[in-house]
Amino acid sequence: MLGRLYETQNCSAARALELVGERWSLLILRDAMFGNLTRFSQFQKSLGIATNILAKRLEGFVAAGLMEHRQPGDSGEQAEYVLTQKGLELKPVIIALTEWGDKWVRPGPVVYQNESDGRPVELQLRRVGDDTQVAIADIVARLR
Amino acid sequence: MLGRLYETQNCSAARALELVGERWSLLILRDAMFGNLTRFSQFQKSLGIATNILAKRLEGFVAAGLMEHRQPGDSGEQAEYVLTQKGLELKPVIIALTEWGDKWVRPGPVVYQNESDGRPVELQLRRVGDDTQVAIADIVARLR
């Protein structure tokens, strides 16, 4: 009943949260996006979570198209879980959560930066087309 | 055990998700941010959720400082739950989730726009200081 009502809400934000909103899911994606981890053993070592939970989350990401499961070749290496473009494009969600947590909970250990020059980056709200920056208070929603 | 390990991850994004990551929480915040709902009965009517769940979520938001509980005056009106600045600044999280869901799941019914001129807005990743736009693929994380 909860699920049915919830599904009628037809909200892109809610549907995105279904995929990343579980506690460990976000940390696995973070390690894949920003720690360049791809192997089961790397995620397990980084996060210290139970292998059955990790396996379930990685399978879920593959099923949802956020990761691709690459089988090992003949070299005897482990299979890899590699983020797809769909998965990589969740970066702004992680960055938005981080920026808010840094400001309103406490500063965390991570900063985001431009790879080529090492300079810090941030999310900004901009008007589409002319790039004018818009204040949070001035943003409203309307039906499409 | 899960909780203890999770807490050692010391991640701003994870801490933010603790507050908004529950399914109904996001929808309540969405209605408060973008539907200007403030009263218990308005949230209940909009979302159709059980009153005990709604009461628990609203109390949680007040406890976390995301909402302020304003008692009614002598007019006999209902108490209001009003977003604080801390709560309002979660807008970029909701917008980031929406943009991703619109693109990668299916287009939802809502667009975000600048209140004064009605023109659409979007989140952009920019270099701090000189405002240069940065591509998602070029963003890395480092320890502070």
Side-chain angles (χ1 to χ4, degrees), chain A residues 2 12 24 102 109 117 127, chain B residues 2 12 24 102 117 127 144:
Chain A
L2 182 78
S12 284
W24 287 113
D102 280 348
D117 58 18
R127 225 159 55 180
Chain B
L2 182 78
S12 284
W24 287 113
D102 279 349
D117 57 20
R127 226 159 56 180
R144 205 180 282 277

Side-chain angles (χ1 to χ4, degrees), chain A residues 14 18 22-23 31 36 45 58 67 74:
Chain A
E18 291 296 295
E22 185 273 335
R23 290 149 56 110
D31 279 355
N36 299 316
K45 190 179 172 193
L58 290 172
M67 286 183 167
D74 294 337

Side-chain angles (χ1 to χ4, degrees), chain B residues 15-91:
Chain B
R15 288 196 303 269
L17 198 65
E18 291 295 295
L19 293 172
V20 301
E22 185 274 334
R23 291 150 55 109
W24 287 113
S25 296
L26 183 82
L27 296 175
I28 296 167
L29 289 170
R30 180 202 63 178
D31 278 354
M33 280 174 195
F34 296 112
N36 299 316
L37 306 192
T38 60
R39 297 180 206 284
F40 190 95
S41 58
Q42 291 174 326
F43 291 112
Q44 213 280 322
K45 188 180 172 193
S46 168
L47 298 170
I49 59 177
T51 53
N52 62 327
I53 295 172
L54 177 58
K56 205 170 165 183
R57 295 294 170 275
L58 290 171
E59 281 162 26
F61 291 151
V62 172
L66 302 183
M67 285 183 168
E68 187 191 335
H69 191 188
R70 293 193 191 152
Q71 296 297 341
D74 294 337
S75 60
E77 288 182 338
Q78 277 194 312
E80 289 188 288
Y81 293 87
V82 180
L83 286 169
T84 61
Q85 189 62 25
K86 182 178 178 180
L88 277 171
E89 290 195 11
L90 281 164
K91 274 187 184 180

Side-chain angles (χ1 to χ4, degrees), chain A residues 30 34 108-113, chain B residues 9-10 140-144:
Chain A
R30 179 201 65 180
F34 296 112
V110 164
V111 289
Y112 299 104
Q113 61 185 34
Chain B
Q9 288 290 323
N10 184 32
V140 296
R142 68 166 177 78
L143 292 178
R144 205 180 282 277

Side-chain angles (χ1 to χ4, degrees), chain A:
Chain A
M1 189 65 178
L2 182 78
R4 192 179 65 75
L5 276 170
Y6 179 77
E7 280 153 24
T8 65
Q9 288 290 322
N10 183 31
C11 172
S12 284
R15 289 196 302 269
L17 199 65
E18 291 296 295
L19 292 171
V20 303
E22 185 273 335
R23 290 149 56 110
W24 287 113
S25 295
L26 183 83
L27 297 176
I28 296 167
L29 289 170
R30 179 201 65 180
D31 279 355
M33 280 174 195
F34 296 112
N36 299 316
L37 306 192
T38 61
R39 296 180 205 285
F40 191 95
S41 58
Q42 291 175 325
F43 290 113
Q44 212 281 320
K45 190 179 172 193
S46 168
L47 298 170
I49 58 175
T51 54
N52 61 329
I53 295 172
L54 178 58
K56 204 170 166 183
R57 295 294 171 275
L58 290 172
E59 281 162 27
F61 291 151
V62 172
L66 303 182
M67 286 183 167
E68 187 192 336
H69 191 188
R70 294 194 190 152
Q71 295 296 341
D74 294 337
S75 60
E77 287 182 339
Q78 279 193 312
E80 289 187 288
Y81 293 87
V82 180
L83 285 168
T84 61
Q85 188 63 23
K86 182 178 178 180
L88 277 172
E89 290 195 12
L90 281 165
K91 273 187 185 179
V93 172
I94 307 256
I95 295 171
L97 286 163
T98 306
E99 287 182 351
W100 186 88
D102 280 348
K103 175 167 180 184
W104 289 102
V105 186
R106 62 173 181 272
V110 164
V111 289
Y112 299 104
Q113 61 185 34
N114 186 11
E115 188 170 25
S116 59
D117 58 18
R119 288 168 61 187
V121 296
E122 65 183 7
L123 277 173
Q124 296 181 2
L125 286 155
R126 297 264 181 174
R127 225 159 55 180
V128 177
D130 68 0
D131 272 5
T132 307
Q133 206 166 346
V134 177
I136 282 178
D138 295 334
I139 292 168
V140 295
R142 68 166 176 79
L143 292 179
R144 202 181 285 277

